[in-house]
Amino acid sequence: MSRLYDTLEPSVMDKKMLQQAVEEQGPQDQAGQIAKEEGVLYEEVCQLCLNYRNILKIDHLWQFTSLTKLQLDNNIIVKIEGLECLTNLKWLDLSFNNIEVIEGLNSLVLLEDLSLYNNRISVIENMDTLLNLHILSLGNNLFTQLENVIYLRRFKNLRTLNLAGNPICREDHYKIFVAAYLPELVYLDFGLLNEETREQAHGKYQYAIEEMRHNETQERKAIEAKKEQEDQFQLHMDAFVEHLNGPYLFDSMYADDAEAAKLSYLPGVPVLLETFKSQLVELCMQMFEVGLAQHGRREDELKSFFDCSREAVEENQQRAAQSVADFERARRQVMSEMQQATDPRLLETQLNHCNDEINQLCDSLMTQELQLVDQLEDIIKDFERDILDMVAGFVEVVQGIFAQCRDLENHHHEKLLEIAVATLEQVAKNELEEDMPDDVRMLFVDKDTVINAVSASHDTHLLKIDNREDELVTRVNSWISALIKSIQDKEVKRNRKRIAEIHNYIDYVRDQLSEMRQERWGKNI
Amino acid sequence: MEFDKGVAIDEAKEDGRDELNKDLLKLDEALRKIQITPACSLPEQAQQVDLSQCPTSYKENSPQEKLLLAIAENFRCQYAHIYPDRKPLLLCPLNECGVQKFVSTTLRPTLSPFPELYSWDGCASFVSDFLSLEPLDPPTDPPKHLHSPTWVLQTNRGSCFEFSTLLCSLLLGAGYNAYCVSGYAVKEMCLLNQSLQQCPLLGPLVKVKATKQRQQVKKYSVKPPRDLCSGFEQRQEDRRQAEAQAILLQKQQEEERLREDGERPPPDALLGLRVHCWVLVLADSREVPENFFIDPLSGKSFSTTDKCFLGIESIWNHQNYWVNMQDCRFGCAEMTYDLGDAVKWEYLLYGAAGQSVLTIPDMMMQQEVEDEDEEESRVFEMPPSWVNQIKISQQDMETRCPGGMKVIHYRKAKLEKFAPYLLKDGLVTRLTTYSDLDCTHSSTVKEWYQHRHDHLEERELNKATNVTVEHFRPGRSFALRSHRYIMMTPETERQMDFYSCARADGLVRRVEMPFEMTETFENRPDFLYYRHVVFGKRVKVFSPSNKEAPDRVDRPIQKVVESFHRDQSKPAREDVAERIFLVCEDRIQVTYHLEDDRIIPAWRNFIKPKDSGDSQKPHSFSRQMASTFHVDSFEKPCKNLFLYEMLVHMMKEEETVALRVKDSEKEVRAILAVREQEESSIELHISIYNTARNERARCHREAQERMAQEERLQEQEKELDFLAPFLAQLVDPENLTRQVALKLRSDCLADLKQRLVDKANLMQARFERETQELQQKQQWYQKNQLTMTKEDEDEYLAYCSDAMLRIHVLKLRLSSHKDKAPQKYLSLDERLRRDPRLANHLL
């Protein structure tokens, strides 16, 4: 590290340097010649070596997107930068530089071998995304915290680690500590981690490790549970009945309803609310069940449709591919025969015959494709009809249940109104025993206020129910139309691709034939 | 059938008359005995078995047996009286010693130690193989003699009754509910003539089961494309074809019938009268699902409704004897075998064990019971068998057939069986099939081998096509599985199959034609599954070195086609599906796998550069040398560099492929050479567990025994008698007086003392000598110390240390000797006191 780089002029990573390196390290001899004539594209270069060049700053590498191996060792690089675009990198060597902080590596997720040997790094950090790391060399740096090694636990594939020459190596339990916290490690500091060390490590750090492992398991379980929950919710979303398997609708109805809170202080209302809630929840559950069942049916239907259409397409493809393969084999045979043929008349008949064959193949391929298009059109039509029926049935059932919900709400509203009127009378007669908060008492100044409050609450509830219904129906409809459109688009795309393919091939074959004709005629004449 | 029935009735009537006239019967019996005797006396076999060796039970009847014979005689008389038109029963024939024995007691249930004989088919095939048949004479009467199973096993021959008795004994021992059946059967069965039957080994051709198309109609299955053919024309055509087919079928049937008529043997005059004996196995024991017959002569099983069996007179096991009361006019098809049913089966002994409860007590039986033991009402049980235990040796099991070989003639086939190790080439079975009924023109020969060192198991030669197919067990060199060939010379038509899992290259099959070779592979890491090579004509090179071995010049390769399975790790457009090396045209064609939704694959054609002879030199390359086709016209054309590198790679591949092909040819030649060598000197493999045959194992065992013997002798010698030299001096060493004994003891002790002292002295002397020498040397050193050279000094020092060591050792020995000497002395004294010869006098 006591290199006297100050005395040397640092060189700049410019286009010239890169070009030179690429040419030097590219293919040699004849291949090199060809490459030179053609020019080398930077995005196709797979390996690049830029060592011993006194580079201070990494630059101009953004073009080398397919690079898998990059050597920048033995330079005077201070900062890791400019590597963000090299996402295919597997092998990165930055040893013998003047780097102080690990950074700028987050996009290199495929990295397997990383060397930062002989730098000035003091903390292991900023490598969270490098989960494929297999070999890591961090020797001759300035690590002082042994606990920092625990950071490396996240690399499940790490087998080889080099930390030699760091201050932490002078600590007594360095080796045992590393062996204990990185149980998958095979090689440490140029040597095999033997069984003995491992056992010692296990004995010494057993409890700490156990605890850590326990915590890690807990975290993993939590993540899994969350994921499962999300999956479940996604399923409900797909079935369009999310938040219907509980009192969510009820809660949402009362969430924005200020009047309801006040009204709940009236005598008898809590009981009424309770029954209302349970009835509503029951209806919601009904809807939820129906939704899930319908979703399952729709999925089955979809699967059956896709299976069948795939089968049909595959069968058709196989047949077509077979006939093309047979034709191609025969064509090659005939072409090579024609190359050798000398009799112009025979050649002519052969050429004509060949032409006929091509036309025949073209016809048969097109016929097959047309057949397939017809067949698929039929089943797509059938499928559309069935799935639309299914969805319509579902929407009908759901709307029926929503109507029940509204009836329930109306009923509830009437009851509430009765209570409210009765209470009003009581208040008017001053017979009310219970104490009411002042804002509630304010409602009972006259009849209109009370009725207005109750109606407002009722309107809010109805609005919520309507909203939920609208949401469901809209989403179902948009889903179905998107599905049908995607199926049709896919079929159109497939058809175009096939037609283009056939045309392309036939054109090619015809071109070959006419070339042959010209060539032979030219010779004969 | 009418005619046959008449004969049967006449015969039965005659028998009935005989019964009435006892003198006539006796005369008849006597006459028959005279006739039978010469047939039974088998010159060489009879000599082998010594009758005097038989135990007394063979020669005499026990009181119980006598009682049984009386019961049987009573039964016979009544039976003959009531059913005068039925044939006499076989109840008490004479055994080999000329003593009357009841048939049930001749059965000796025996469980043999061989696992093979634990199942009925194993037993049946053993019995049918092991014995040779003596036909009944006359064929219409049951025999007068019934030899014991032990006798039959010794002589290796017997009548159908003896076959059945042996088989039934084995089956009963193995736990089957088996019975001997005396009845009537067709001529072919009685005489063991199987030449009308299909050979069981040939069997019906295995019908390839047409895998049922799982034509599950799914909801959205596409409709088949519309058929534009006329339905009417189709129907007309179908009808025409059906008619033609019907005519053809009729003709065939006609021919078939004519042929069958020709093959059918002339009608048998004695049909329905030929006596036969076979075995019945009833269901429910040993998990037998339903009743069946076993013909002991052929060892085959038949259903109880089989047409070969024409009638049953009686059946018996080791416990009882039943007479059939059912109508056998139409064969045995409608018989029932519920032996408890006294209407259908008349029993000899009442309430014998193993029977279902009798519901209808029979008059006759009651009488009998009353006659036998009126007071005790104890039922009479069948006495134990008089026959010795049946012993089958390992040797017998191996040899199987008499003399180790057997020939069976089937319809258009001949089956030869040999005992293992009997023939030098390991042949155990040979099946020859013929194209005609007279068995003169053989069409195929199939041979099975065992214990061959070259792992050959089966060889089939088709005479018509001259094709030989050989099958091998796993474990051969090159993992050869089967080999199909016409000639053993290389480069001819052949097919070799391999155990691909045992081969590094995963080769499954190699098919060769004169100028072609096709190899198929399995489970290769490079996904290769097919390689087809076309060879050109060998270029003749007239040079002296090639004259001796023209085969060594390799045939030029014209074309190689290699196909690969899809490698999922690569994209389809870069995954090679097929490559064709057109060696003679200097071209290489590469075809890629199909992409999804494509029907036309991409391909590349290369023309090899003219100067490609030297692969080391860089090749000139031009764009024309490679042509590419890709169905997607938007595909970017690939770079020259890539094409060039691919061309170079392909040229290298071509070279390696050529090497592989040469290796394959070499392998074929090696296999053929090995096969020829193996066939010329066939060796049989002898298991190390086969103690009888394994020469080396036997030598080893004998050597071990000898060693053990020697060791024992040595042990004996070790026990030296320390008194012997002293006793030898005495006149009478046997009788010692006290005085002599005391003297012996003191002599002995004195002797030991002397030896101990001598030994001590010897050591002392040596010690002194060493010390003295050392001293002398030291003095000499002192004197000459100044004039000595370095070497001398070193030598001196080495001597000194040696001498010191020796002196030290001697000192140690001496001291330990001094310590131990008294102990030795005392122990000898002790042993002398204990010595049995002196003990009396010394204590």
Side-chain angles (χ1 to χ4, degrees), chain B residues 406-418:
Chain B
K406 189 171 187 178
V407 182
I408 306 169
H409 290 276
Y410 289 103
R411 186 175 175 272
K412 288 188 181 180
K414 186 174 79 174
L415 182 67
E416 290 162 274
K417 288 186 189 175
F418 303 93

Side-chain angles (χ1 to χ4, degrees), chain A residues 30-31 34 38-39 44 301 304 308 311-312 317 321 328 332 371 375 379 383 386 501 504-505 508, chain B residues 218-223 225 589 594 596-600 603 618-619 621 629 631 633 639-641 644:
Chain A
Q30 177 74 19
I34 295 167
E38 233 172 1
E44 286 174 0
E301 197 76 4
S304 157
C308 288
E311 256 169 44
Q317 251 171 35
E328 177 64 20
R332 284 185 191 180
Q371 259 175 21
Q375 289 171 336
I379 63 166
F383 172 69
D386 290 350
E501 191 180 4
N504 208 343
Y505 178 67
Y508 171 81
Chain B
K218 286 183 192 149
K219 194 173 172 189
Y220 294 109
S221 292
V222 292
K223 292 185 201 80
Q589 299 176 342
L594 279 175
D596 293 341
D597 300 337
R598 292 278 188 205
I599 55 170
I600 300 157
W603 69 75
H619 314 295
F621 178 78
F629 169 76
V631 279
S633 47
K639 303 181 72 168
N640 282 345
L641 178 64
Y644 173 73

Side-chain angles (χ1 to χ4, degrees), chain B residues 537-807:
Chain B
K537 282 229 169 69
R538 190 171 275 122
V539 186
K540 279 187 182 164
V541 185
F542 293 103
S543 69
S545 62
N546 283 331
K547 260 182 192 164
E548 292 90 16
D551 280 0
R552 295 298 137 224
V553 185
D554 288 307
R555 293 176 292 178
I557 297 169
Q558 281 198 332
K559 180 182 169 188
V560 182
V561 180
E562 286 189 316
S563 302
F564 297 84
H565 285 301
R566 177 94 174 82
D567 178 2
Q568 295 296 345
S569 66
K570 290 185 195 168
R573 64 170 63 177
E574 287 166 27
D575 189 13
V576 176
E578 185 186 62
R579 51 192 198 194
I580 305 173
F581 300 103
L582 295 162
V583 180
C584 56
E585 295 174 41
D586 271 345
R587 285 200 291 150
I588 299 167
Q589 299 176 342
V590 180
T591 309
Y592 292 90
H593 274 283
L594 279 175
E595 283 176 64
D596 293 341
D597 300 337
R598 292 278 188 205
I599 55 170
I600 300 157
W603 69 75
R604 290 210 165 89
N605 290 348
F606 295 98
I607 300 169
K608 282 202 289 185
K610 293 287 173 234
D611 54 350
S612 64
D614 185 6
S615 62
Q616 304 301 319
K617 240 172 43 187
H619 314 295
S620 58
F621 178 78
S622 61
R623 187 89 207 182
Q624 282 76 43
M625 288 162 71
S627 60
T628 307
F629 169 76
H630 199 281
V631 279
D632 190 356
S633 47
F634 300 111
E635 175 81 6
K636 247 192 316 185
C638 58
K639 303 181 72 168
N640 282 345
L641 178 64
F642 177 76
L643 291 174
Y644 173 73
E645 274 171 355
M646 187 159 170
L647 174 60
V648 172
H649 175 69
M650 280 297 154
M651 279 157 64
K652 270 199 196 117
E653 283 292 307
E654 188 176 312
E655 276 166 34
T656 50
V657 165
L659 282 180
R660 294 271 160 284
V661 172
K662 271 178 198 147
D663 284 350
S664 292
E665 288 187 278
K666 218 189 280 171
E667 190 184 302
V668 170
R669 279 198 291 270
I671 290 174
L672 292 180
V674 168
R675 283 295 302 138
E676 226 155 279
Q677 198 255 322
E678 282 166 348
E679 281 299 324
S680 61
S681 61
I682 295 164
E683 282 178 53
L684 292 188
H685 175 78
I686 294 167
S687 160
I688 53 163
Y689 301 110
N690 194 334
T691 47
R693 290 205 177 75
N694 197 325
E695 201 61 34
R696 257 179 63 202
R698 207 179 63 218
C699 289
H700 180 81
R701 204 172 58 240
E702 277 169 5
Q704 257 184 347
E705 270 166 23
R706 218 170 31 242
M707 291 263 287
Q709 184 77 19
E710 276 168 15
E711 223 160 81
R712 263 201 309 283
L713 282 175
Q714 271 182 358
E715 286 281 307
Q716 282 172 353
E717 276 171 16
K718 250 185 203 165
E719 300 256 320
L720 277 178
D721 186 7
F722 47 87
L723 274 178
F726 300 101
L727 284 172
Q729 295 170 5
L730 297 176
V731 188
D732 184 11
E734 298 298 311
N735 305 318
L736 296 174
T737 60
R738 181 175 161 76
Q739 212 172 2
V740 176
L742 280 173
K743 187 174 179 301
L744 259 177
R745 178 179 161 227
S746 61
D747 279 356
C748 211
L749 287 172
D751 191 54
L752 177 69
K753 201 178 194 174
Q754 189 58 45
R755 274 174 54 196
L756 289 172
V757 170
D758 284 353
K759 206 171 169 185
N761 284 341
L762 190 68
M763 274 191 270
Q764 183 76 32
R766 280 191 187 155
F767 174 72
E768 275 164 11
R769 203 178 63 226
E770 287 286 341
T771 327
Q772 215 169 1
E773 268 180 34
L774 183 65
Q775 272 171 1
Q776 277 174 3
K777 202 87 179 175
Q778 271 170 343
Q779 280 166 7
W780 169 80
Y781 175 71
Q782 299 270 323
K783 258 189 243 166
N784 303 332
Q785 196 175 11
L786 297 171
T787 57
M788 272 173 121
T789 58
K790 181 89 177 149
E791 286 91 60
D792 285 343
E793 203 173 327
D794 281 351
E795 205 181 322
Y796 167 72
L797 286 174
Y799 169 78
C800 275
S801 69
D802 268 11
M804 290 301 279
L805 178 74
R806 278 201 295 276
I807 289 166

